[in-house]
Every structure is written in C-alpha cells, then in structure tokens.
Amino acid sequence: MTFPKNFLWGGAIAANQAEGAYNVDGRGLVQTDVTTGGSVNSSRMTTYIDKDGNPGKAPSMGHNGRIPEGAKFAVLEDEYYPNHKAVDFYHRYKEDIKLFAEMGYSVFRLSISWARIFPNGDETEPNQAGLDFYRSVFEECRKYNIEPLVSIWHFDTPLALEVNYGGWSNRKLIDLYVNYAKVVFTEYKDLVKYWLTFNEINNTTMFLDIYGDAATDEDYQEGYQVLHNQFVASAKAVLLGHEINPEFMIGNMICGITFYPGTCDPADILANQHKWESGIYYCGDVQAKGKYGTYAKRLWKEHNVTLDITEEDLEILKKGTVDMYTFSYYMSNNVTTHTDQEQVAGNFSSGAKNPYLTYSDWGWAHDPTGLQYYLEKIYDRYELPLMLVENGLGAFDTVEEDGSIHDDYRIDYHRAHVKAMSDAIDNGVDLIAYTTWGCIDIVSAGTGEMRKRYGFIYVDMDDEGNGTLNRSKKDSFEWYKEVIATNGQNCLTD
Ligand code: P53
C-alpha cells in the first residue's frame, strides 16, 4: 500500500463560495458580497457608489477590487451577486456533511468567515450566532469521525476593515486578526485539530506578476507590505494556537503552481528560477523556515519596495513557523522570455502554451506530473508534512434526462493526480492528506460562475440565481467513494 493507513481523504470548500446567507445572523460584508459574476474572458466587477452618488463597477482583479477615490463599496439593485446565496451551505450543511460521510471522508476542509465572528472585524465581543454556527458544523463532522481542517482566512477580510483601515497594508490588522484567531482557537480547541492561517497567501504578489506591465511599483509596494503583515499575523497565530492547544497542527497555504522553463535557453532557465522564488518560495520560506529567502532583497529592489519590518517582527517570524506545508495544485505554467510563443488564454493561468499538455475550458493545464514535481521539490526544501488541500477540475457538466451526470473527465483528472501523489509518496514524500476542491459544486472564486463546477455532488443552481439548490450525485461520487475505501489502490490498478 502506498498511502499510509491513516492518510486523510476528503474534500474542501470555502465559506464565501459555499455558505450564502450573506446577511444572516449578524454577518458583516466581505469583498465578494460586492463582486459580480464574470467568465473566463470577462472580469468579475466590484460595485460601488461614487462620490457623486452614481453607481459604478471596477474590475475586481482577482481578490483586490480597487474603486475610485471617494467611492463606497455598495450592493447595487440591478446586479446579481453569486456569493450572496452561493449553494446555501449555511442552511444545508447537515445534508452535505452526510453526503461527505457517505463518500467516506476522514477530513473536510472548510473556512470560518471572520465576518460571521466579528462583523466589522474590530469589535471587542464576538457574534455568538457566528460561533454557534461553526460549532454546530464541527460537531456534525465529529459525528461522522470527520476531522475538520479549518482555514481562518479565505480571501474574506471583513469589508469594514478594508474601508476603515485600508486593509492588510495597515499593521493594525495584525492584532485584529490575532484576536479573531484567539477566539476561534479557544472556542473550538476540542473540536478542531488542523488549522490553516491564510489561504493561498502568495496570490497577492504572484498575480501581480501575471498582470505583467499592468502592475506598478506602487502595487508591489502595497502587495509586499500586505504579505509581511500577514506573515507576522500568521506566525503570531501559530504561537498562540500552540499555547491554546499544543496538539494543534497549524499550516500555511500556498497556491501551488509548477513553473517550467519554456525553452532550454539559459535566459528561460533563470527566469523560471526567479518565478519560483517570487511566486512560490517567497511565502513558503518565511512561513516554513522562519525567514525571508536570500532573493527577497532582489525582488524588493526590482520593484523599488521599502518595507516596514521591525526587529521584533523578524523574531516572531523565526519562532512562529508552521507545523505543515499545505497547498493547492491545479496546473503548471510555462515561463519564457520568448514572447513569440503561443500564449495561454485563461483566467489566472499565464505564459506560453505547453505543447505536451491539454487545457481545461478555463485555460488551466492538465498536468499530474507537475504535481509530483511540486511534491518532491517542496518536500525536499522544507521536510515538513505536506497536505494537498485543493485539487480539481473546473468543468461544464451535463445533467442527463434521468438526472445522472457522467463526469468521466473529472474522474480521469483526479485518478491521474492520485497516481502522481502515490509516486511522490513512493519516492519518500510525507504527504498526509488530500482534499479535493469543491467536493460539492460552489461559486468559482476566479470567475464567480456556478457553471465552472468542481464537485462530486451537483448543485442545481445557475449563473443567474435560478435553481432548486437540490444536491445530486455525479458519477465521480461513487468513484471517489471507492478511492477512499481502497485507500487509493483503485487509482493505481485501473
Ligand atoms: P476557481 C487562481 C489560481 C489557482 C487557484 O479556482 C485559485 C485562484 C484564484 O481564483 O484559487 C483557489 O474557483 C482558491 C479557491 C478557488 C479555487 O482555487 O477560480 O483557493 O477559492 O475556488 C479554484 O476555479
């Protein structure tokens, strides 16, 4: 058997993409509540009322929607906001967790919405209704012996903190976040063992690189300061978590993309190395090794960045290293200085098209070998237990007359990635968990679409908000059940 006996199999969702109930039980607003849907070639838009009282929208650029001077974020009457209702996990979690248990999950990754606990982010007392909700969700998991794996930030800083403090470039957010972490760690210390501090923390600057010339030195200045403040907040949370319960396993979370040099031109080899440094290692090194990599100075200089870093910060970073390295993996990207090569046209994917790979309808490369490469490279670098906490295929699904959904493309994607994990484990990598992304269909983070589906469980909901929200099993449901029952063996033989 390749996979260790106690290997954790399961699935993953995020609060703002699944829960809905955006204005229920005292929850405060977050950025996605003022963000419309988009598609593979049209950006999601952040909506606002400008200083003269007129409605407007600005491209959300992933997760950092910028609106004009003097404008206020606003929910506009004529717009549709997919995250408001999402798939209503808030009211249907019992039914959903029951289905996860039926598949045999031993782990379920979800996130706590900060704005349910502290609606404006800076209250002194937490919102009891928010605490009660997650307690009930975790108890439901425990009922089926499912370990909750909990991210406490999944791109969802309370909007009031963006407005009143200017977001994460303000150091005040460090203490507000640490206080929030303290409340949830204490509240759930006997229900939750596995915690993640910041989801895909590296997106902030990695996607600035992807926007290329559109990103200015000012954007980098802000991006790197945001990251520094989040590193300190994360390290403080790790230290505090271990005080509250020494059994806690606390991880970082990196958007794991495998980068390849597009050609064997030495300029490409070097550009690719630099891409790993700026995109992947920059955050992992601070969070897992406790210090900035030697290349960090080069990056700051390249973008004329001067950071506010104190001696005390550096001490905290050194002490507050994570217990495990967790990451998402969907695709690889090609890095090349040869701009005449055919480019990938997708959302959040970038670089030259790789002639050896096929691409999803959203332009993401199907590359299980890239996963093995990432696992081996990262394990060698940090020698910490690894968790692959997101992996999946966003695809259009067709519901047949009889209600069945034959998603063999999704099964093929996962089978190949499980095989890649097993090869890496055989080569000595300490991988301890696999949670597939969007184990149930949820709203896409990148495009806000429902039709970009990842789930093994189908949800009847479209991009205009029509649908019963009923759940049904896709073919992949029974297949994944078998994967778990055989501890991955069925992927190695068929
Ligand atoms: P969607 C970009 C590239 C890789 C992963 O993404 C990314 C993103 C940002 O969207 O995000 C993670 O829904 C993220 C999830 C997200 C998932 O990947 O755009 O942690 O919230 O849903 C898939 O297809």
Side-chain angles (χ1 to χ4, degrees), residues 17 154 199-200 207 330 348 364 390 437 444-446 452 454:
Q17 294 171 253
H154 196 113
N199 182 67
E200 292 192 339
F207 290 128
Y330 294 89
F348 296 120
W364 294 15
E390 284 185 32
W437 181 245
S444 155
K452 188 181 187 190
Y454 287 87

Side-chain angles (χ1 to χ4, degrees), residues 396-433:
F396 297 105
D397 288 332
T398 308
V399 184
E400 306 294 338
E401 292 268 313
D402 64 354
S404 56
I405 297 145
H406 305 304
D407 57 342
D408 45 305
Y409 37 89
R410 187 169 291 110
I411 294 174
D412 290 346
Y413 180 96
H414 284 284
R415 183 191 289 117
H417 287 79
V418 171
K419 173 81 173 60
M421 295 189 310
S422 99
D423 289 341
I425 292 172
D426 284 343
N427 291 346
V429 171
D430 184 18
L431 178 67
I432 61 171

